[in-house]
Amino acid sequence: MFRFASGCVVNDRTDDSDGGLEPPARADRRVRADARRNLDTLLQTALSVFASSGVDAPVREIAERAGVGIGTVYRHFPQRSDLIAAVFRREIDACADAASVLSAGHKPFDALANWMQRYAAFVAAKRGLAKALHSGDPAFDSLPGYFDQRLRPALRTLLKTATDAGEIRADVDADELLGAVASLCMSAHNAGSGRAERMVALLIDGLRHGAKSS
Amino acid sequence: MFRFASGCVVNDRTDDSDGGLEPPARADRRVRADARRNLDTLLQTALSVFASSGVDAPVREIAERAGVGIGTVYRHFPQRSDLIAAVFRREIDACADAASVLSAGHKPFDALANWMQRYAAFVAAKRGLAKALHSGDPAFDSLPGYFDQRLRPALRTLLKTATDAGEIRADVDADELLGAVASLCMSAHNAGSGRAERMVALLIDGLRHGAKSS
DNA sequence: ACCTGAACACCGTTCAAGT
DNA sequence: ACCTGAACACCGTTCAAGT
């Protein structure tokens, strides 16, 4: 919906809550729904192509697989890095949204533990994008901020709920935990056979059983 | 005192245990002791210079601070990367040797916990060398192997002792633990104010209190 | 205004000379 | 044997002189 100076489509989430003012388009619900769905399948296709063929996969291939013209892709994402950033952002959203779902369906500690593994899987899957993110391309500039903005509150809420229920220690904050899990899951050191998951599980156990004071 | 094909002095630890054959020099204990001490202070100086000024610190400066001629440095370490490798190796040795000392002076779990923090500090301090190690310089080729060869048995022994004493869970192996702590301490994500140490502490708590089966 | 290259400072490395 | 440091080759950078 919003185009920044860079020309990149930044926000594909409904954002009707910011004050009462509304951008021009209003009546065409049908078209907007279609466009939304188009963009959705495009991003989903891009995600799977990136996952299987790497971030250097040709945009043309993504367009073909998504069943849209390449022009459509470039109309939404003027630079290939904009597409990558959008995919990343979408994944961040999915991970953040999972928090409330898990929170509703599980007891506090289980929700926390499940979410951390969910987050770990997200980071591990994005390991291929790591070098792209550090390329200095301005399309990625806002990603770290978005990462924090979405994921930190999500984890903070989970932590607070579990803390209030007395199920975990109270002296660890969301920020360092996000960083720790990210380190564990991005490192090449522990690639094989669920090593990272097991180490994250160890962290979680420490969270539950660790001493209140160190 | 072995010279490899590369010309680099590889071993500064007494290695009298490999069979019965002995290199030429034999009687001059006095001279060898002096040379050894020289080399020792040289390596120690290099360590502190690298720590304060970075790995790109000029060899000349190291020689001056160590109080030896620059020629002496180059006789021991034909390439500057050989000096870096030697410093690294020496630090690995120190860390590995700390295991038995801690083991002798503490109860099994405490020895393990202390050593892991010791190891964490070692990794964190060597974060500056990380990019040098990945430079592809053949002088560093043997370091990963040496790392495993020295550190893995050290941690394995600590783990086994603590496991046998029933103080920790039995389903975590030395290899993945070394990797996990390394990831935590090398990552830039958690730099400030003992974040890494606290996350390592969390791992240790998970080690002690985690479920026997996952 | 723009280009040039000798000059400078600094680096890693060598090696003849000293002990 | 071991150590030393002047000397060498090489680099990035500067800046007065030339156009």
Side-chain angles (χ1 to χ4, degrees):
Chain A
M1 321 282 205
F2 298 156
R3 255 166 201 285
F4 273 13
S6 76
C8 133
V9 173
V10 174
N11 200 335
D12 59 306
R13 309 181 61 244
T14 45
D15 200 1
D16 296 331
S17 58
D18 59 349
L21 24 107
E22 196 81 357
R26 204 52 166 114
D28 47 358
R29 288 227 173 281
R30 194 60 44 85
V31 176
R32 281 180 62 175
D34 279 20
R36 163 67 55 92
R37 194 162 35 201
N38 254 337
L39 204 151
D40 244 50
T41 62
L42 177 57
L43 286 177
Q44 200 151 339
T45 305
L47 172 66
S48 73
V49 171
F50 286 152
S52 62
S53 308
V55 271
D56 295 330
V59 175
R60 205 177 308 273
E61 180 187 340
I62 295 169
E64 279 171 12
R65 286 223 221 175
V68 302
I70 192 170
T72 304
V73 179
Y74 274 96
R75 195 167 47 79
H76 285 300
F77 310 102
Q79 314 256 15
R80 102 178 242 100
S81 50
D82 294 320
L83 177 57
I84 297 174
V87 167
F88 206 98
R89 205 180 312 267
R90 188 186 150 89
E91 288 293 283
I92 290 175
D93 286 331
C95 190
D97 293 342
S100 50
V101 174
L102 287 170
S103 214
H106 296 78
K107 296 170 66 178
F109 176 81
D110 294 336
L112 172 64
N114 279 326
W115 188 84
M116 282 184 62
Q117 292 293 0
R118 167 74 171 80
Y119 167 69
F122 156 69
V123 175
K126 295 296 159 297
R127 199 168 41 186
L129 300 190
K131 70 173 193 301
L133 293 185
H134 295 310
S135 68
D137 192 309
F140 302 128
D141 283 353
S142 66
L143 279 184
Y146 192 68
F147 187 96
D148 285 350
Q149 175 194 327
R150 293 282 291 154
L151 262 26
R152 209 190 306 189
L155 178 53
R156 214 194 314 256
T157 302
L158 288 168
L159 280 175
K160 176 143 186 18
T161 305
T163 301
D164 289 349
E167 301 186 18
I168 62 165
R169 64 202 288 174
D171 62 348
V172 178
D173 69 34
D175 213 19
E176 59 188 357
L177 215 47
L178 285 175
V181 174
S183 319
L184 286 174
C185 297
M186 284 199 315
S187 164
H189 270 121
N190 27 21
S193 63
R195 255 188 150 98
E197 288 85 343
R198 292 170 60 187
M199 294 302 101
V200 171
L202 225 48
L203 269 189
I204 297 173
D205 283 335
L207 216 44
R208 172 160 52 173
H209 295 289
K212 296 312 191 221
S213 70
S214 174
Chain B
M1 302 306 164
F2 297 153
R3 258 166 198 285
F4 274 13
S6 77
C8 132
V9 173
V10 172
N11 201 333
D12 58 307
R13 309 178 61 244
T14 44
D15 200 1
D16 297 331
S17 57
D18 59 349
L21 24 108
E22 196 82 357
R26 205 47 168 119
D28 46 358
R29 288 228 175 280
R30 194 60 43 86
V31 177
R32 281 180 64 173
D34 279 21
R36 163 68 56 91
R37 194 164 35 202
N38 254 338
L39 204 150
D40 245 50
T41 63
L42 177 56
L43 286 177
Q44 201 152 337
T45 304
L47 172 66
S48 73
V49 171
F50 286 152
S52 62
S53 307
V55 271
D56 294 330
V59 175
R60 203 170 247 104
E61 182 187 339
I62 295 168
E64 277 171 14
R65 286 223 220 173
V68 301
I70 192 171
T72 302
V73 178
Y74 275 94
R75 196 167 47 80
H76 284 301
F77 310 102
Q79 315 257 13
R80 109 180 234 96
S81 49
D82 294 321
L83 176 58
I84 297 175
V87 167
F88 206 100
R89 206 181 312 267
R90 189 185 149 88
E91 288 294 282
I92 290 175
D93 285 332
C95 190
D97 292 343
S100 50
V101 174
L102 287 171
S103 214
H106 297 78
K107 295 170 66 179
F109 175 80
D110 293 336
L112 172 63
N114 279 328
W115 188 84
M116 281 186 61
Q117 292 292 2
R118 166 74 170 80
Y119 166 69
F122 157 69
V123 174
K126 295 297 158 297
R127 200 166 41 186
L129 300 190
K131 70 175 193 301
L133 293 187
H134 294 310
S135 68
D137 193 308
F140 302 129
D141 283 353
S142 66
L143 279 185
Y146 192 69
F147 186 95
D148 286 350
Q149 175 194 327
R150 293 283 290 154
L151 262 26
R152 208 189 308 189
L155 178 52
R156 215 196 313 259
T157 301
L158 289 169
L159 280 175
K160 178 143 184 18
T161 305
T163 301
D164 290 349
E167 301 186 18
I168 62 165
R169 63 202 288 175
D171 62 347
V172 178
D173 70 33
D175 212 18
E176 59 188 356
L177 215 47
L178 285 175
V181 173
S183 319
L184 286 174
C185 297
M186 284 199 314
S187 164
H189 270 121
N190 26 23
S193 64
R195 256 190 150 95
E197 288 84 343
R198 291 171 60 187
M199 294 302 101
V200 170
L202 225 48
L203 269 189
I204 296 173
D205 283 336
L207 216 45
R208 172 160 51 173
H209 295 290
K212 295 313 191 223
S213 71
S214 173

